[in-house]
Amino acid sequence: MSEKMMKIFPTAQDEVHILCPNCGRLETKKASDYRRSNRISTLYECECGHSFQIFIEYRRYSRKESRFWGSCKTADDKETEIRIINISKNGVGFIMTNPLKVSVGETLHIAFIFKDTRRSLISKKIIVRRIENDLIGAEFEIHIDETDRELAFFLDT
């Protein structure tokens, strides 16, 4: 089994469509049967006997790997440099270079220079949703939309 993991997005009807790379058989399953967390990876076995890894992605928007440097400020004005490692239209994942004490549900302010031709300053309020070792996953208070034209274009490509 040296294949890449198959990423699958559930439909609005809570279904996942699994296509066997070996025989081409398409099977529809209930996504919630697999859900234990926000995302799940599992070994799937087709009726033809072929086994392969599937990854069910429950995020509304896919995250794009990135390498932006910026800053993060807490409500009490403590600030540190951050390295943004992934970004989507509704959230961001980053690592603090000098970790500050933050908790899930806390509102922070981040700012970074986007690598477009104008080197746009992106400044957003975020809500911490997940803390996993050094990685902080946060949701934008106001999601990326057409007002953030360059960043929205980057995320759509």
Side-chain angles (χ1 to χ4, degrees):
M1 193 179 68
S2 61
E3 302 172 44
K4 288 176 106 175
M5 186 178 299
M6 182 182 295
K7 187 185 277 191
I8 303 170
F9 290 89
T11 66
Q13 294 76 34
D14 189 41
E15 295 177 334
V16 289
H17 302 292
I18 305 167
L19 179 67
C20 178
N22 184 54
C23 70
R25 184 175 188 280
L26 181 66
E27 188 164 356
T28 301
K29 297 280 192 178
K30 194 155 185 64
S32 56
D33 291 346
Y34 293 95
R35 189 172 189 161
R36 284 183 231 127
S37 62
N38 193 32
R39 300 172 289 177
I40 186 161
S41 171
T42 189
L43 185 65
Y44 179 81
E45 186 172 345
C46 180
E47 285 184 4
C48 75
H50 183 69
S51 296
F52 53 99
Q53 285 289 126
I54 60 171
F55 178 83
I56 301 173
E57 176 66 80
Y58 287 94
R59 296 179 192 275
R60 192 176 340 162
Y61 301 107
S62 63
R63 291 197 176 241
K64 193 164 195 174
E65 287 186 34
S66 51
R67 291 185 187 170
F68 302 121
W69 288 93
S71 65
C72 174
K73 188 184 284 190
T74 62
D76 59 356
D77 284 335
K78 292 182 180 161
E79 191 169 2
T80 188
E81 186 177 64
I82 61 171
R83 181 171 46 104
I84 296 173
I85 59 170
N86 61 54
I87 190 166
S88 75
K89 287 187 177 184
N90 64 338
V92 63
F94 63 93
I95 297 171
M96 295 180 180
T97 54
N98 295 311
L100 301 173
K101 185 171 172 61
V102 297
S103 55
V104 172
E106 186 173 347
T107 300
L108 307 172
H109 183 268
I110 62 167
F112 62 95
I113 302 293
F114 182 58
K115 297 176 183 176
D116 60 349
T117 54
R118 296 190 315 213
R119 299 194 43 81
S120 304
L121 174 65
I122 307 296
S123 180
K124 294 278 189 190
K125 283 189 178 179
I126 59 171
I127 303 159
V128 176
R129 296 295 184 208
R130 181 172 51 95
I131 301 171
E132 194 172 293
N133 299 323
D134 294 339
L135 178 66
I136 296 176
E139 179 181 358
F140 291 124
E141 194 173 76
I142 299 173
H143 296 180
I144 303 295
D145 61 13
E146 58 278 346
T147 60
D148 299 298
R149 227 174 36 229
E150 291 85 2
L151 189 53
F153 179 77
F154 167 75
L155 293 170
D156 286 337
T157 57

